[in-house]
Coordinates of all heavy atoms in Angstrom, one line a residue:
Chain M
V63 N -3.6 -93.1 -182.6 CA -4.4 -91.8 -182.2 C -5.6 -92.2 -181.4 O -6.4 -93.0 -182.0 CB -4.7 -91.1 -183.5 CG1 -5.4 -89.8 -183.0 CG2 -3.5 -90.8 -184.3
V64 N -5.8 -91.7 -180.2 CA -6.9 -92.1 -179.5 C -7.8 -90.9 -179.3 O -7.3 -89.8 -178.8 CB -6.5 -92.7 -178.1 CG1 -7.6 -93.1 -177.3 CG2 -5.4 -93.7 -178.3
V65 N -9.0 -91.0 -179.4 CA -9.9 -89.9 -179.1 C -10.9 -90.4 -178.1 O -12.0 -91.0 -178.5 CB -10.7 -89.3 -180.4 CG1 -11.6 -88.2 -180.0 CG2 -9.8 -89.0 -181.4
P66 N -10.7 -90.1 -176.7 CA -11.6 -90.6 -175.8 C -12.6 -89.5 -175.4 O -12.5 -88.3 -175.9 CB -10.5 -90.7 -174.6 CG -9.5 -89.7 -174.9 CD -9.4 -89.5 -176.2
P67 N -13.6 -89.8 -174.7 CA -14.6 -88.8 -174.2 C -14.0 -87.7 -173.5 O -14.4 -86.6 -173.5 CB -15.6 -89.6 -173.5 CG -15.4 -91.1 -173.8 CD -14.1 -91.2 -174.3
V68 N -13.1 -87.9 -172.7 CA -12.3 -87.0 -171.8 C -10.9 -87.6 -171.7 O -10.6 -88.6 -171.5 CB -13.1 -86.9 -170.5 CG1 -13.1 -88.1 -169.7 CG2 -12.4 -85.7 -169.7
R69 N -10.0 -86.5 -171.9 CA -8.4 -87.0 -171.9 C -7.9 -87.4 -170.6 O -6.9 -87.9 -170.6 CB -7.7 -85.8 -172.4 CG -7.8 -84.5 -171.7 CD -6.5 -83.7 -171.8 NE -5.4 -84.2 -171.2 CZ -5.1 -84.2 -169.9 NH1 -6.1 -84.0 -169.0 NH2 -4.1 -84.8 -169.4
S70 N -8.6 -87.1 -169.5 CA -8.0 -87.1 -168.2 C -7.4 -88.4 -168.0 O -7.9 -89.5 -168.2 CB -9.1 -87.0 -167.1 OG -9.8 -85.8 -167.3
F71 N -6.1 -88.3 -167.6 CA -5.1 -89.4 -167.3 C -4.8 -90.4 -168.5 O -4.0 -91.2 -168.3 CB -5.7 -90.4 -166.1 CG -5.9 -89.6 -164.8 CD1 -7.2 -88.9 -164.5 CD2 -4.8 -89.5 -164.0 CE1 -7.2 -88.2 -163.4 CE2 -5.0 -88.8 -162.8 CZ -6.1 -88.1 -162.5
A72 N -5.4 -90.2 -169.7 CA -5.1 -91.1 -170.7 C -3.5 -91.0 -171.1 O -2.9 -92.0 -171.4 CB -6.1 -90.7 -172.0
A73 N -3.0 -89.8 -171.3 CA -1.7 -89.7 -171.7 C -0.7 -90.2 -170.7 O 0.2 -90.8 -171.1 CB -1.4 -88.1 -172.1
V74 N -1.0 -89.8 -169.5 CA -0.1 -90.2 -168.3 C -0.2 -91.8 -168.3 O 0.8 -92.4 -168.1 CB -0.6 -89.5 -167.1 CG1 0.1 -90.2 -165.8 CG2 -0.2 -88.1 -167.2
S75 N -1.4 -92.3 -168.3 CA -1.3 -93.8 -168.3 C -0.6 -94.4 -169.5 O 0.2 -95.4 -169.3 CB -2.9 -94.2 -168.3 OG -3.6 -93.6 -167.4
A76 N -0.8 -93.9 -170.8 CA -0.1 -94.5 -171.8 C 1.3 -94.3 -171.7 O 2.2 -95.4 -171.9 CB -0.6 -93.7 -173.1
A77 N 1.9 -93.3 -171.2 CA 3.2 -93.2 -171.1 C 3.9 -94.0 -169.9 O 5.0 -94.6 -170.1 CB 3.6 -91.6 -170.8
T78 N 3.1 -94.1 -168.9 CA 3.6 -95.1 -167.9 C 3.6 -96.5 -168.5 O 4.6 -97.2 -168.1 CB 2.6 -95.0 -166.6 OG1 2.5 -93.6 -166.2 CG2 3.1 -95.8 -165.5
G79 N 2.5 -96.9 -169.1 CA 2.6 -98.2 -169.8 C 3.7 -98.5 -170.6 O 4.3 -99.4 -170.7
A80 N 4.0 -97.3 -171.4 CA 5.1 -97.5 -172.5 C 6.5 -97.6 -171.6 O 7.3 -98.5 -171.9 CB 5.3 -96.2 -173.2
V81 N 6.6 -96.9 -170.6 CA 7.9 -97.1 -169.7 C 8.0 -98.5 -169.2 O 9.1 -99.1 -169.3 CB 7.9 -96.0 -168.6 CG1 9.0 -96.4 -167.5 CG2 8.2 -94.7 -169.2
V82 N 6.8 -98.9 -168.5 CA 6.9 -100.4 -168.0 C 7.2 -101.3 -169.2 O 8.1 -102.2 -169.0 CB 5.7 -100.6 -167.2 CG1 5.6 -102.0 -166.8 CG2 5.6 -99.7 -166.1
G83 N 6.4 -101.2 -170.3 CA 6.5 -102.0 -171.5 C 7.9 -102.1 -172.0 O 8.5 -103.2 -172.1
V84 N 8.7 -101.0 -172.1 CA 10.0 -101.0 -172.6 C 11.0 -101.6 -171.7 O 11.7 -102.5 -172.0 CB 10.5 -99.5 -172.8 CG1 12.1 -99.4 -173.3 CG2 9.7 -99.0 -174.0
A85 N 10.7 -101.3 -170.4 CA 11.6 -101.9 -169.3 C 11.5 -103.6 -169.3 O 12.5 -104.1 -169.0 CB 11.3 -101.5 -167.9
M86 N 10.3 -104.0 -169.6 CA 10.3 -105.5 -169.6 C 10.5 -106.2 -170.7 O 10.8 -107.4 -170.9 CB 8.8 -105.8 -169.3 CG 8.4 -105.2 -167.9 SD 6.8 -105.6 -167.3 CE 6.8 -107.3 -167.0
T87 N 10.6 -105.4 -172.0 CA 10.6 -106.2 -173.2 C 12.0 -105.7 -174.1 O 12.5 -106.5 -174.9 CB 9.5 -106.0 -174.1 OG1 9.3 -104.6 -174.4 CG2 8.3 -106.5 -173.5
A88 N 12.3 -104.5 -173.9 CA 13.3 -104.0 -174.8 C 14.8 -104.3 -174.4 O 15.0 -104.6 -173.3 CB 13.3 -102.5 -174.9
E89 N 15.6 -104.4 -175.5 CA 17.0 -104.6 -175.3 C 17.6 -103.4 -174.8 O 17.6 -102.4 -175.5 CB 17.5 -104.9 -176.7 CG 19.2 -105.3 -176.7 CD 19.5 -106.5 -175.8 OE1 18.9 -107.6 -176.0 OE2 20.3 -106.3 -174.9
A90 N 18.0 -103.5 -173.4 CA 18.5 -102.1 -172.9 C 19.9 -101.8 -173.3 O 20.2 -100.6 -173.3 CB 18.5 -102.5 -171.2
V91 N 20.7 -102.7 -173.7 CA 22.0 -102.3 -174.0 C 22.2 -101.8 -175.5 O 21.8 -102.6 -176.4 CB 23.1 -103.3 -173.7 CG1 23.2 -103.4 -172.2 CG2 22.6 -104.8 -174.2
P92 N 22.8 -100.7 -175.8 CA 23.0 -100.3 -177.1 C 24.0 -101.0 -177.8 O 24.9 -101.7 -177.2 CB 23.2 -98.7 -177.0 CG 23.7 -98.7 -175.7 CD 23.3 -99.7 -174.8
D93 N 24.2 -100.9 -179.1 CA 25.3 -101.5 -179.9 C 26.7 -100.9 -179.4 O 26.7 -99.7 -179.3 CB 25.0 -101.1 -181.4 CG 26.3 -101.4 -182.2 OD1 26.4 -102.6 -182.4 OD2 26.9 -100.5 -182.7
V94 N 27.6 -101.7 -179.2 CA 28.9 -101.1 -178.6 C 29.6 -100.0 -179.4 O 29.9 -99.1 -179.0 CB 29.8 -102.3 -178.3 CG1 31.3 -101.9 -178.0 CG2 29.5 -103.2 -177.4
E95 N 29.7 -100.3 -180.8 CA 30.3 -99.5 -181.6 C 29.7 -98.1 -181.6 O 30.2 -97.0 -181.4 CB 30.3 -99.9 -183.0 CG 31.4 -101.2 -183.3 CD 32.8 -100.8 -183.1 OE1 33.1 -99.5 -183.1 OE2 33.6 -101.5 -182.7
S96 N 28.4 -98.1 -181.8 CA 27.7 -96.8 -182.0 C 27.6 -96.2 -180.6 O 27.8 -94.9 -180.6 CB 26.3 -97.0 -182.5 OG 25.6 -97.8 -181.6
H97 N 27.6 -96.9 -179.5 CA 27.5 -96.2 -178.2 C 28.8 -95.6 -178.0 O 28.9 -94.5 -177.4 CB 27.2 -97.3 -177.1 CG 26.9 -96.6 -175.8 ND1 25.9 -95.7 -175.7 CD2 27.3 -96.9 -174.5 CE1 25.9 -95.3 -174.4 NE2 26.7 -96.0 -173.8
F98 N 30.0 -96.4 -178.2 CA 31.3 -95.8 -178.0 C 31.5 -94.5 -178.9 O 32.1 -93.5 -178.5 CB 32.4 -96.9 -178.4 CG 33.7 -96.4 -177.9 CD1 34.1 -96.5 -176.5 CD2 34.7 -95.9 -179.0 CE1 35.4 -96.1 -176.2 CE2 35.8 -95.5 -178.5 CZ 36.3 -95.6 -177.2
R99 N 31.0 -94.6 -180.1 CA 31.2 -93.5 -181.0 C 30.5 -92.2 -180.4 O 31.1 -91.2 -180.3 CB 30.6 -93.7 -182.3 CG 31.7 -93.8 -183.4 CD 31.2 -93.8 -184.9 NE 29.8 -94.4 -185.0 CZ 29.6 -95.6 -185.3 NH1 30.6 -96.5 -185.4 NH2 28.4 -96.0 -185.4
A100 N 29.3 -92.6 -180.0 CA 28.5 -91.4 -179.4 C 29.1 -90.8 -178.1 O 29.2 -89.5 -178.0 CB 27.0 -91.9 -179.1

Side-chain angles (χ1 to χ4, degrees):
Chain M
V63 182
V64 186
V65 181
V68 58
R69 58 154 294 287
S70 304
F71 297 94
V74 166
S75 306
T78 306
V81 165
V82 172
V84 174
M86 295 180 73
T87 58
E89 179 62 51
V91 285
D93 172 70
V94 170
E95 286 298 333
S96 61
H97 191 56
F98 188 79
R99 244 190 339 269

